[in-house]
Amino acid sequence: MTATAPITQDVLTIPRKLPEGPQNLVGMTRDQMRLALIEAGTPEKQAKMRVNQIWQWIYHWGVRDFAAMTNLAKDYRAMLAERFVVAVPEMVSRHVSADGTRKYLVRISGGHEVEVVYIPETDRGTLCISSQVGCTLTCSFCHTGTQKLVRNLTAGEIIGQVMMARDDLGEWPEPGQGTGDNGPRRLSNIVLMGMGEPLYNFENVRDAMKIAMDGEGISLSRRRITLSTSGVVPEIARTAEEIGCQLAVSFHATTDEIRDKLVPINKRWNIETLLKALKEYPKVSNSERITFEYVMLKDVNDSDADARRLVKLIEGIPAKINLIPFNEWPGAPYERSDWSRIEEFADIIYKAGFASPIRTPRGEDIMAACGQLKSATERERKSRRQIEAEAGLGEAS
Ligand code: SAH
Ligand code: SF4
């Protein structure tokens, strides 16, 4: 019998409302902002309109300074400046890859750092954002999973990553420009595929994505937002109901035996339980296909038999399978499958009627690829032996 490591979720969430000092308006829902403005003395009758005005300044125009909110009375602006701030995480560094991918290190309160990656493509620009510092889960192939420290990001810190990237890309609209399809869109898609398990920080992720989708501001369609989960089953139905974005799931294996090792949350919610939840998702969320992410690990999960089992398992689910060539990191206990193996695997899936794109690794020269993110302040790494032991791979050689 192997010992099963308990899956814990004891992370710290910083309260949204700090007891003292100015409150950050970024990350508040419309309702929260209304209440905060009333508490600060705004007459109840006016509060909704003030929220609309401030919301547009912050999320449509990208304004941070209350003095620039010119459709508000001067003394009201002064009151806002006293009681509130419009703050986004600070960019600590930016690396630009030869392929145009940008990796940002951003600092959040408490001195923690998270990574954000911008990936330009011909028809879109995707921002990969983080939901936690580190991750409580310990997927054996994931660099983030070896990071010790974890804290949930606040809604403001999550949407703040998008705002920081828009600052850097210079894409707040000029007067006369619209949002959505009429505005500048270098950043057209968001994926929650950075550091952390978004469904272990559900409320903050939800509130942040609601802000991203709000038509009076950043205004991204829910079809342009993809949340990736390792399989937190109880929260999948909630995601459908309360966010309604696209869903990606880190599937990675076709038997419970292997998935237990790769994605240990499988010990809590196994493949069968996960698939049941996924079957319901498109109906409830009225979303398109579910993306099954499948990391290609040499001689671990990349056989023809795996490909055939995979298509059998997902039969009946509107799905596409995104094959991710394993991104290696120092000390990783796996190797990337050979390119020909990945293509043969993709072919079996494609012939069974599913799209099977192979994700081109981006930003490899700056360690910006999926699963390589880990902040500089948390460089402390578990030993290779420890990683392998936890993955159930036996003694390190
Ligand atoms: N915690 C969430 C989202 C972040 S990870 C999740 O697990 O889904 C984003 C994607 O990158 C996941 O599919 C994850 O399994 C994958 N990934 C992690 N490490 C990787 C690596 N080294 N190479 C390739 N993909 C990796
Ligand atoms: Fe966490 Fe996702 Fe990495 Fe697993 S793959 S350790 S869930 S970030």
Side-chain angles (χ1 to χ4, degrees):
M1 227 181 71
T2 46
T4 307
I7 294 164
T8 52
Q9 192 11 42
D10 46 356
V11 297
L12 176 79
T13 304
I14 290 219
R16 286 156 196 256
K17 201 169 152 186
L18 300 171
E20 280 168 51
Q23 271 182 276
N24 191 3
L25 291 177
V26 175
M28 288 184 183
T29 63
R30 281 177 176 269
D31 272 349
Q32 288 164 345
M33 199 186 287
R34 199 177 67 85
L35 292 175
L37 293 180
I38 291 170
E39 216 171 279
T42 308
E44 261 193 76
K45 272 196 187 147
Q46 290 174 16
K48 201 169 164 200
M49 186 167 121
R50 297 289 166 251
V51 171
N52 279 338
Q53 290 169 312
I54 295 168
W55 193 275
Q56 282 197 3
W57 284 117
I58 298 177
Y59 297 115
H60 177 85
W61 300 108
V63 164
R64 304 281 148 80
D65 181 0
F66 293 110
M69 302 186 178
T70 46
N71 60 353
L72 298 170
K74 263 206 170 138
D75 54 346
Y76 193 72
R77 282 185 255 162
M79 180 285 287
L80 289 174
E82 217 166 273
R83 305 281 297 249
F84 302 102
V85 289
V86 181
V88 303
E90 176 200 351
M91 189 202 299
V92 179
S93 67
R94 183 185 75 172
H95 289 92
V96 183
S97 157
D99 69 13
T101 301
R102 297 180 186 207
K103 179 166 86 169
Y104 307 99
L105 189 63
V106 299
R107 185 170 299 138
I108 57 174
S109 72
H112 303 303
E113 289 168 352
V114 291
E115 286 179 341
V116 181
V117 179
Y118 173 73
I119 307 151
E121 289 173 277
T122 41
D123 61 338
R124 67 178 70 185
T126 303
L127 192 73
C128 178
I129 60 173
S130 294
S131 56
Q132 299 182 308
V133 181
C135 185
T136 50
L137 300 172
T138 52
C139 301
S140 51
F141 55 90
C142 174
H143 205 201
T144 308
T146 67
Q147 189 166 313
K148 282 183 181 147
L149 190 87
V150 176
R151 113 154 147 72
N152 277 339
L153 300 195
T154 62
E157 289 162 347
I158 297 170
I159 194 65
Q161 296 169 55
V162 178
M163 297 165 74
M164 180 230 52
R166 291 195 100 190
D167 292 349
D168 185 54
L169 296 166
E171 88 152 350
W172 295 105
E174 297 291 333
Q177 286 179 330
T179 49
D181 290 338
N182 302 320
R185 271 290 186 244
R186 289 181 76 190
L187 196 172
S188 63
N189 293 61
I190 296 175
V191 294
L192 282 144
M193 292 187 189
M195 294 160 70
E197 168 49 59
L199 295 190
Y200 271 160
N201 186 13
F202 186 87
E203 282 85 7
N204 289 315
V205 165
R206 176 199 58 205
D207 292 351
M209 291 307 100
K210 290 256 177 212
I211 294 171
M213 293 187 274
D214 191 297
E216 297 288 305
I218 297 169
S219 195
L220 284 176
S221 146
R222 66 195 181 85
R223 298 194 186 283
R224 291 185 173 275
I225 298 174
T226 303
L227 183 152
S228 174
T229 180
S230 57
V232 185
V233 164
E235 306 294 345
I236 288 178
R238 255 184 108 191
T239 306
E241 281 159 24
E242 297 179 35
I243 311 177
C245 59
Q246 304 300 306
L247 188 70
V249 61
S250 293
F251 209 64
H252 305 323
T254 60
T255 63
D256 282 323
E257 195 198 344
I258 301 292
R259 196 162 190 273
D260 280 353
K261 288 180 183 161
L262 299 181
V263 191
I265 202 176
N266 195 66
K267 295 177 195 160
R268 177 98 166 256
W269 295 290
N270 66 12
I271 291 180
E272 192 188 344
T273 317
L274 174 61
L275 287 170
K276 230 185 255 164
L278 295 177
K279 279 197 177 111
E280 294 303 310
Y281 191 86
K283 275 182 264 170
V284 181
S285 64
N286 187 24
S287 69
E288 293 161 3
R289 293 172 298 179
I290 289 177
T291 301
F292 284 75
E293 298 165 282
Y294 198 96
V295 63
M296 298 298 293
L297 305 170
K298 191 175 195 162
D299 299 331
V300 174
N301 64 355
D302 63 351
S303 68
D304 285 355
D306 278 308
R308 283 193 287 268
R309 265 196 301 270
L310 181 58
V311 292
K312 228 178 171 159
L313 284 170
I314 63 173
E315 214 173 49
I317 302 178
K320 86 167 173 203
I321 291 127
N322 203 334
L323 298 174
I324 316 174
F326 175 56
N327 295 309
E328 294 182 7
W329 37 271
Y334 302 103
E335 281 175 65
R336 179 183 289 186
S337 304
D338 294 334
W339 198 254
S340 56
R341 183 85 290 269
I342 300 179
E343 285 183 334
E344 281 158 24
F345 194 96
D347 205 44
I348 294 175
I349 294 165
Y350 181 73
K351 287 200 173 115
F354 293 99
S356 55
I358 302 170
R359 190 182 293 171
T360 325
R362 298 289 303 263
E364 280 188 302
D365 52 340
I366 53 167
M367 285 275 287
C370 250
Q372 292 187 326
L373 305 184
K374 185 161 153 163
S375 64
T377 46
E378 313 295 340
R379 282 291 175 220
E380 242 184 310
R381 233 193 14 247
K382 294 179 185 173
S383 69
R384 187 186 178 121
R385 188 177 291 268
Q386 207 178 341
I387 295 165
E388 286 181 336
E390 284 175 13
L393 298 174
E395 280 299 320
S397 49

mmCIF file of all heavy atoms in Angstrom, residues 333-348:
data_model
loop_
_atom_site.group_PDB
_atom_site.id
_atom_site.type_symbol
_atom_site.label_atom_id
_atom_site.label_comp_id
_atom_site.label_asym_id
_atom_site.label_seq_id
_atom_site.Cartn_x
_atom_site.Cartn_y
_atom_site.Cartn_z
ATOM 1 N N PRO A 333 11.446 15.171 -13.287
ATOM 2 C CA PRO A 333 11.633 13.721 -13.368
ATOM 3 C C PRO A 333 11.094 13.090 -14.660
ATOM 4 O O PRO A 333 10.890 11.890 -14.701
ATOM 5 C CB PRO A 333 10.850 13.223 -12.142
ATOM 6 C CG PRO A 333 9.790 14.246 -11.919
ATOM 7 C CD PRO A 333 10.316 15.547 -12.426
ATOM 8 N N TYR A 334 10.834 13.903 -15.674
ATOM 9 C CA TYR A 334 10.298 13.367 -16.934
ATOM 10 C C TYR A 334 11.034 13.955 -18.127
ATOM 11 O O TYR A 334 11.716 14.971 -18.013
ATOM 12 C CB TYR A 334 8.809 13.720 -17.088
ATOM 13 C CG TYR A 334 7.951 13.210 -15.966
ATOM 14 C CD1 TYR A 334 7.508 14.084 -14.966
ATOM 15 C CD2 TYR A 334 7.589 11.869 -15.899
ATOM 16 C CE1 TYR A 334 6.724 13.622 -13.922
ATOM 17 C CE2 TYR A 334 6.800 11.406 -14.859
ATOM 18 C CZ TYR A 334 6.371 12.283 -13.867
ATOM 19 O OH TYR A 334 5.604 11.822 -12.841
ATOM 20 N N GLU A 335 10.792 13.303 -19.288
ATOM 21 C CA GLU A 335 11.318 13.834 -20.544
ATOM 22 C C GLU A 335 10.176 14.078 -21.503
ATOM 23 O O GLU A 335 9.134 13.430 -21.414
ATOM 24 C CB GLU A 335 12.225 12.791 -21.207
ATOM 25 C CG GLU A 335 13.607 12.696 -20.631
ATOM 26 C CD GLU A 335 14.358 11.552 -21.292
ATOM 27 O OE1 GLU A 335 14.627 11.623 -22.500
ATOM 28 O OE2 GLU A 335 14.623 10.560 -20.591
ATOM 29 N N ARG A 336 10.410 14.973 -22.449
ATOM 30 C CA ARG A 336 9.400 15.243 -23.473
ATOM 31 C C ARG A 336 9.330 14.070 -24.450
ATOM 32 O O ARG A 336 10.363 13.521 -24.844
ATOM 33 C CB ARG A 336 9.795 16.519 -24.214
ATOM 34 C CG ARG A 336 8.827 16.890 -25.327
ATOM 35 C CD ARG A 336 9.296 18.123 -26.079
ATOM 36 N NE ARG A 336 9.160 19.331 -25.262
ATOM 37 C CZ ARG A 336 9.398 20.565 -25.720
ATOM 38 N NH1 ARG A 336 9.791 20.750 -26.965
ATOM 39 N NH2 ARG A 336 9.253 21.601 -24.930
ATOM 40 N N SER A 337 8.121 13.672 -24.840
ATOM 41 C CA SER A 337 7.973 12.617 -25.847
ATOM 42 C C SER A 337 8.615 13.082 -27.150
ATOM 43 O O SER A 337 8.642 14.279 -27.443
ATOM 44 C CB SER A 337 6.493 12.343 -26.121
ATOM 45 O OG SER A 337 5.818 12.028 -24.935
ATOM 46 N N ASP A 338 9.089 12.109 -27.941
ATOM 47 C CA ASP A 338 9.664 12.462 -29.237
ATOM 48 C C ASP A 338 8.582 13.075 -30.120
ATOM 49 O O ASP A 338 7.406 12.733 -30.008
ATOM 50 C CB ASP A 338 10.203 11.204 -29.938
ATOM 51 C CG ASP A 338 11.381 10.641 -29.157
ATOM 52 O OD1 ASP A 338 12.048 11.430 -28.453
ATOM 53 O OD2 ASP A 338 11.605 9.418 -29.245
ATOM 54 N N TRP A 339 9.034 13.930 -31.027
ATOM 55 C CA TRP A 339 8.075 14.634 -31.871
ATOM 56 C C TRP A 339 7.230 13.659 -32.696
ATOM 57 O O TRP A 339 6.012 13.817 -32.822
ATOM 58 C CB TRP A 339 8.805 15.638 -32.767
ATOM 59 C CG TRP A 339 7.842 16.648 -33.291
ATOM 60 C CD1 TRP A 339 7.352 16.728 -34.557
ATOM 61 C CD2 TRP A 339 7.190 17.688 -32.543
ATOM 62 N NE1 TRP A 339 6.442 17.760 -34.644
ATOM 63 C CE2 TRP A 339 6.328 18.368 -33.416
ATOM 64 C CE3 TRP A 339 7.256 18.104 -31.191
ATOM 65 C CZ2 TRP A 339 5.537 19.445 -33.010
ATOM 66 C CZ3 TRP A 339 6.467 19.174 -30.796
ATOM 67 C CH2 TRP A 339 5.628 19.833 -31.694
ATOM 68 N N SER A 340 7.868 12.620 -33.230
ATOM 69 C CA SER A 340 7.120 11.655 -34.062
ATOM 70 C C SER A 340 6.060 10.937 -33.218
ATOM 71 O O SER A 340 4.961 10.656 -33.679
ATOM 72 C CB SER A 340 8.077 10.642 -34.686
ATOM 73 O OG SER A 340 8.812 10.003 -33.668
ATOM 74 N N ARG A 341 6.373 10.655 -31.969
ATOM 75 C CA ARG A 341 5.415 10.006 -31.063
ATOM 76 C C ARG A 341 4.205 10.948 -30.834
ATOM 77 O O ARG A 341 3.058 10.523 -30.871
ATOM 78 C CB ARG A 341 6.122 9.713 -29.723
ATOM 79 C CG ARG A 341 5.284 8.974 -28.699
ATOM 80 C CD ARG A 341 5.322 7.443 -28.900
ATOM 81 N NE ARG A 341 4.646 6.953 -30.079
ATOM 82 C CZ ARG A 341 3.372 6.568 -30.149
ATOM 83 N NH1 ARG A 341 2.592 6.621 -29.094
ATOM 84 N NH2 ARG A 341 2.868 6.131 -31.269
ATOM 85 N N ILE A 342 4.493 12.207 -30.627
ATOM 86 C CA ILE A 342 3.407 13.171 -30.391
ATOM 87 C C ILE A 342 2.498 13.225 -31.627
ATOM 88 O O ILE A 342 1.274 13.210 -31.517
ATOM 89 C CB ILE A 342 3.963 14.576 -30.067
ATOM 90 C CG1 ILE A 342 4.848 14.524 -28.809
ATOM 91 C CG2 ILE A 342 2.834 15.583 -29.881
ATOM 92 C CD1 ILE A 342 5.485 15.845 -28.398
ATOM 93 N N GLU A 343 3.119 13.211 -32.808
ATOM 94 C CA GLU A 343 2.318 13.288 -34.038
ATOM 95 C C GLU A 343 1.476 12.035 -34.232
ATOM 96 O O GLU A 343 0.320 12.111 -34.648
ATOM 97 C CB GLU A 343 3.232 13.530 -35.236
ATOM 98 C CG GLU A 343 3.696 14.978 -35.255
ATOM 99 C CD GLU A 343 4.551 15.322 -36.454
ATOM 100 O OE1 GLU A 343 5.196 14.406 -37.016
ATOM 101 O OE2 GLU A 343 4.576 16.512 -36.814
ATOM 102 N N GLU A 344 2.042 10.883 -33.913
ATOM 103 C CA GLU A 344 1.262 9.638 -34.058
ATOM 104 C C GLU A 344 0.093 9.611 -33.068
ATOM 105 O O GLU A 344 -1.011 9.187 -33.392
ATOM 106 C CB GLU A 344 2.176 8.413 -33.833
ATOM 107 C CG GLU A 344 3.031 8.094 -35.052
ATOM 108 C CD GLU A 344 4.269 7.271 -34.697
ATOM 109 O OE1 GLU A 344 4.251 6.584 -33.651
ATOM 110 O OE2 GLU A 344 5.256 7.328 -35.448
ATOM 111 N N PHE A 345 0.360 10.069 -31.882
ATOM 112 C CA PHE A 345 -0.669 10.153 -30.839
ATOM 113 C C PHE A 345 -1.798 11.091 -31.309
ATOM 114 O O PHE A 345 -2.989 10.763 -31.231
ATOM 115 C CB PHE A 345 -0.011 10.691 -29.564
ATOM 116 C CG PHE A 345 -0.816 10.537 -28.299
ATOM 117 C CD1 PHE A 345 -0.587 9.457 -27.448
ATOM 118 C CD2 PHE A 345 -1.768 11.472 -27.928
ATOM 119 C CE1 PHE A 345 -1.304 9.329 -26.255
ATOM 120 C CE2 PHE A 345 -2.488 11.347 -26.752
ATOM 121 C CZ PHE A 345 -2.254 10.268 -25.916
ATOM 122 N N ALA A 346 -1.391 12.234 -31.842
ATOM 123 C CA ALA A 346 -2.368 13.229 -32.324
ATOM 124 C C ALA A 346 -3.217 12.639 -33.451
ATOM 125 O O ALA A 346 -4.425 12.897 -33.539
ATOM 126 C CB ALA A 346 -1.640 14.480 -32.812
ATOM 127 N N ASP A 347 -2.579 11.851 -34.266
ATOM 128 C CA ASP A 347 -3.261 11.275 -35.421
ATOM 129 C C ASP A 347 -4.386 10.327 -35.008
ATOM 130 O O ASP A 347 -5.475 10.345 -35.580
ATOM 131 C CB ASP A 347 -2.212 10.519 -36.251
ATOM 132 C CG ASP A 347 -2.640 10.434 -37.698
ATOM 133 O OD1 ASP A 347 -3.111 11.472 -38.205
ATOM 134 O OD2 ASP A 347 -2.544 9.338 -38.281
ATOM 135 N N ILE A 348 -4.134 9.513 -34.021
ATOM 136 C CA ILE A 348 -5.153 8.567 -33.535
ATOM 137 C C ILE A 348 -6.368 9.351 -33.022
ATOM 138 O O ILE A 348 -7.516 9.017 -33.308
ATOM 139 C CB ILE A 348 -4.574 7.664 -32.412
ATOM 140 C CG1 ILE A 348 -3.479 6.769 -32.993
ATOM 141 C CG2 ILE A 348 -5.678 6.837 -31.746
ATOM 142 C CD1 ILE A 348 -2.742 5.928 -31.969
#
